[in-house]
Amino acid sequence: MRRRMATHGKKAAKVGRRRSLKVAGIFAGVGGLELGLSRAGHVTKLLVENDRAARAVLGERFEGVRLHGNVTTLSRLPARTELLAAGFPCQDLSQVGQLAGLKGEKSSLVFEILRLLRRRRVPWVLLENVPFMLYASRGRALRLITGELEDLGYHWAYRTIDSRAFGLPQRRERVFILASLENDPRDVLLAEDAASVSFPRRATGVACGFYWTEGNRGLGWAVDCVPPLKGGSGIGIPSAPGILLPDGSLITPDIRDAERLQGFPSRWTLPATKVGERHRWRLVGNAVSVPVAEWIGRRLGKPGEYDPEGDERLRRGDTLPRAAWCMGEGVHRSGASAWPARRQPRALLDFLLHSGKPLSLKAAVGLQKRLRASSLHVPRERESALRNHIDRLSREDAKARLAA
Ligand SMILES: C[S@@+](CC[C@H](N)C(=O)[O-])C[C@H]1O[C@@H](n2cnc3c(N)ncnc32)[C@H](O)[C@@H]1O
């Protein structure tokens, strides 16, 4: 039987006046969540991360903060933890993953969070994951996690948020779940909303990001921004996206620009090279966009007032919406958009500070095939630019073979 919440049926207490929370960052990666929260005035007291390359970054960037390895060997959270923050592994929940859901070896690690909370319930919990978790097995994973949080006495709200709302030219949607023992998480996560910003749909005159490793459905194509940076890909390796520039050249961005596309300072993941150069893309792709975490951090210190008028209670079997909440009695759909803020993203071309690397022949041919098979509208001059790029690289390739 579910434990009843103290404020069952009533509006929970307003968030306290304290601005600075003590944070335990679990599955910390390179600290996107923690960096954003610290920019909003919160203080990280513990980081838990078992990947060597990520630990090398955390060790330098969060100097002096206790760093623990495997979460399964952490017996309990520090005594005065006020916020547990965790972007738990998503390989089994994402579209490119194995779709094993929470039974998957990686994503089932979220149960470690629940184990820690059972031992020590902390006032606030912030979880992050891919939006596919709303749809995989009709949202079973999310329902399971939120159900467990309810059992522990938490109120919760979740919201899908697009990183472009914070001025980053990266189309990246992630689901943020915020749970609280005493306060109203809706006031933090759902109260602020901006009308969505309009984006160019046509590829003319702007840079376009893409992945050549994805199918033909246009999933990876992004106009005037890059598609979500990834820690892995359909072919199992972390890959940089390609960018088709307005002048027809094709590049993959520099890792320093990729860090900036996630809101990190340039060179943030440089310490990972002590473990190996190739890790940086994976770490950046796995991270939480820093300005999104910063926004949530600021709202924790200064919440708004959410108006739930018109939010309908979900019925059994309903598909999970992009934002919802539960204050003890049933799950309600929220109309909150993926745009809490409204900072017009900078044009991708203006955003990039480094020239990047020319796209390889193999990748360019892959893109050409994908574009031909898809229904995407690509201006004719772009297609011919792509053909020229391929011809040039083929000639260079042939010359190199002859010379060898
Ligand atoms: C989705 S990433 C989190 C990214 C992070 N929020 C950031 O902004 O960089 C999940 C992280 O969980 C870590 N992880 C996986 N298994 C773990 C374990 N058993 N103990 C600790 N960390 C683990 C992975 O190495 C990975 O860095």
Side-chain angles (χ1 to χ4, degrees):
M1 162 105 174
R2 292 252 151 103
R3 186 186 306 180
R4 287 238 155 167
M5 295 182 189
T7 50
H8 186 76
K10 286 185 240 145
K11 191 156 163 69
K14 281 272 155 218
V15 74
R17 288 288 137 227
R18 282 191 56 194
R19 281 170 178 264
S20 176
L21 300 175
K22 293 189 182 67
V23 179
I26 317 287
F27 307 118
V30 290
L33 261 179
E34 294 75 11
L35 177 62
L37 291 169
S38 78
R39 284 184 182 168
H42 306 294
V43 185
T44 303
K45 294 289 183 185
L46 169 72
L47 292 162
V48 180
E49 173 55 57
N50 72 344
D51 179 90
R52 270 180 65 222
R55 289 167 61 81
V57 176
L58 293 173
E60 277 198 32
R61 303 302 183 207
F62 293 85
E63 214 184 327
V65 177
R66 182 181 150 205
L67 181 54
H68 183 92
N70 197 329
V71 69
T72 59
T73 62
L74 182 72
S75 58
R76 61 177 69 230
L77 294 167
R80 282 188 283 279
T81 306
E82 291 161 305
L83 168 64
L84 182 158
F88 58 97
C90 62
Q91 284 95 326
D92 304 312
L93 296 174
S94 66
Q95 250 158 325
V96 293
Q98 302 300 308
L99 294 188
L102 286 187
K103 288 199 191 115
E105 192 191 329
K106 298 276 187 203
S107 299
S108 63
L109 282 166
V110 71
F111 291 119
E112 292 296 320
I113 301 282
L114 299 164
R115 172 183 67 81
L116 291 168
L117 288 174
R118 261 180 235 117
R119 284 224 152 162
R120 176 166 281 146
R121 291 184 306 148
V122 300
W124 291 98
V125 180
L126 174 62
L127 304 177
E128 177 263 0
N129 216 287
V130 290
F132 197 60
M133 79 181 297
L134 302 179
Y135 316 116
S137 308
R138 298 190 71 77
R140 247 191 86 225
L142 189 131
R143 287 181 203 269
L144 217 134
I145 294 165
T146 51
E148 294 274 342
L149 287 170
E150 284 167 43
D151 282 351
L152 286 166
Y154 284 93
H155 294 147
W156 58 262
Y158 74 77
R159 181 175 191 172
T160 310
I161 298 181
D162 192 320
S163 297
R164 287 179 298 176
F166 298 91
L168 299 174
Q170 182 193 175
R171 186 190 63 205
R172 184 185 190 86
E173 287 195 334
R174 289 293 180 265
V175 176
F176 291 83
I177 307 169
L178 182 70
S180 173
L181 280 179
E182 290 176 4
N183 297 295
D184 188 336
R186 300 173 302 178
D187 289 344
V188 175
L189 201 61
L190 306 177
E192 193 176 3
D193 212 337
S196 73
V197 183
S198 60
F199 290 99
R201 285 176 181 273
R202 294 179 73 86
T204 316
V206 296
C208 295
F210 61 88
Y211 282 109
W212 58 92
T213 43
E214 285 176 5
N216 298 330
R217 287 169 300 151
L219 245 182
W221 184 255
V223 176
D224 207 15
C225 58
V226 291
L229 300 179
K230 299 190 280 195
S233 75
I235 54 173
I237 45 163
S239 58
I243 299 179
L244 181 50
L245 298 174
D247 69 359
S249 43
L250 282 149
I251 60 158
T252 56
D254 189 283
I255 184 69
R256 290 165 292 179
D257 277 333
E259 290 168 326
R260 295 175 54 250
L261 282 162
Q262 285 280 54
F264 287 106
S266 184
R267 296 188 172 83
W268 179 262
T269 59
L270 193 63
T273 50
K274 283 186 222 147
V275 180
E277 182 63 41
R278 68 197 165 87
H279 296 292
R280 287 177 78 185
W281 276 101
R282 173 174 59 81
L283 297 174
V284 169
N286 272 340
V288 170
S289 298
V290 180
V292 182
E294 182 179 349
W295 174 79
I296 296 173
R298 289 196 191 285
R299 301 296 293 173
L300 278 163
K302 199 169 177 234
E305 185 141 355
Y306 183 66
D307 178 4
E309 175 115 8
D311 287 358
E312 279 172 16
R313 189 171 171 159
L314 290 191
R315 285 169 311 194
R316 227 184 145 76
D318 277 354
T319 314
L320 285 178
R322 284 160 61 78
W325 52 268
C326 174
M327 296 294 291
E329 274 180 280
V331 178
H332 290 71
R333 178 188 310 277
S334 163
S337 75
W339 301 86
R342 191 193 189 144
R343 277 193 245 146
Q344 189 72 41
R346 280 166 61 193
L348 177 58
L349 189 63
D350 299 340
F351 185 89
L352 301 174
L353 293 180
H354 305 279
S355 45
K357 272 200 297 209
L359 193 70
S360 71
L361 178 59
K362 194 172 163 210
V365 171
L367 171 67
Q368 191 180 46
K369 272 199 200 136
R370 205 165 75 75
L371 286 178
R372 281 184 183 152
S374 78
S375 55
L376 288 167
H377 171 82
V378 178
R380 212 170 268 159
E381 74 275 10
R382 293 302 185 87
E383 277 189 47
S384 60
L386 181 57
R387 260 198 315 276
N388 292 343
H389 184 89
I390 291 172
D391 290 348
R392 189 167 43 79
L393 290 184
S394 307
R395 281 196 302 275
E396 283 170 16
D397 194 49
K399 250 194 221 162
R401 276 168 206 264
L402 272 177

